[in-house]
Amino acid sequence: MADNHSKEVRSMNMSHIRSTNSKPEEIVRKYLFSQGLRYRKNVKKLPGCPDIVLPKYHTVIFVNGCFWHRHDCSRFVWPSSNQDYWRPKILRNVERDKKNTEELKALGWNVITVWECELKRAVREENLNLLITKIQQSKS
Ligand SMILES: [Zn+2]
């Protein structure tokens, strides 16, 4: 039993490492750049340290992992073991996301969240196109 837990924690850690190694963020950044949009990344002085900041469009983008930020999609499943550990941790993330979004909006930023599942190959292009539209609508 104990070993099962540690195995699960280990695989969660691995997925966390993969997500902070920023592959999804990189996909979004490269696309924006290819579309001529210029951004700053990981802006620490803004609430939540947004992954991507487009000052010209008053827009910040968070690229969120579905597990860590509890996305309402098939990728999110509550871990079946170690719930005392995961539940508060993930709920804290969700609370923090909400608070950061509110603070950013109060500062006049448009806040866009891109979910990891929206970057799956089959739907990526469509969703990235949609993202550009959203960003451009944010201007002014
Ligand atoms: Zn998702």
Side-chain angles (χ1 to χ4, degrees), residues 18-77:
R18 269 200 299 278
S19 73
T20 53
N21 270 352
S22 79
K23 195 157 179 274
E25 286 102 291
E26 279 309 308
I27 292 169
V28 176
R29 284 181 188 137
K30 277 189 186 141
Y31 187 77
L32 295 181
F33 193 85
S34 77
Q35 298 300 304
L37 297 179
R38 295 299 175 258
Y39 54 80
R40 291 163 55 211
K41 50 186 188 177
N42 304 330
V43 178
K44 293 197 177 68
K45 64 173 188 178
L46 289 176
C49 184
D51 298 307
I52 297 168
V53 176
L54 298 131
K56 189 176 159 193
Y57 295 92
H58 304 290
T59 295
V60 304
I61 301 171
F62 290 97
V63 184
N64 283 353
C66 299
F67 176 73
W68 291 98
H69 299 268
R70 199 194 177 188
H71 191 209
D72 189 13
C73 75
S74 64
R75 288 198 172 190
F76 181 82
V77 182

Side-chain angles (χ1 to χ4, degrees), residues 6 8-19 68 85-86 89:
S6 64
E8 178 167 344
V9 170
R10 211 177 310 134
S11 80
M12 291 302 173
N13 285 340
M14 285 308 293
S15 73
H16 182 53
I17 287 162
R18 269 200 299 278
S19 73
W68 291 98
Y85 174 75
W86 291 111
K89 195 177 175 70

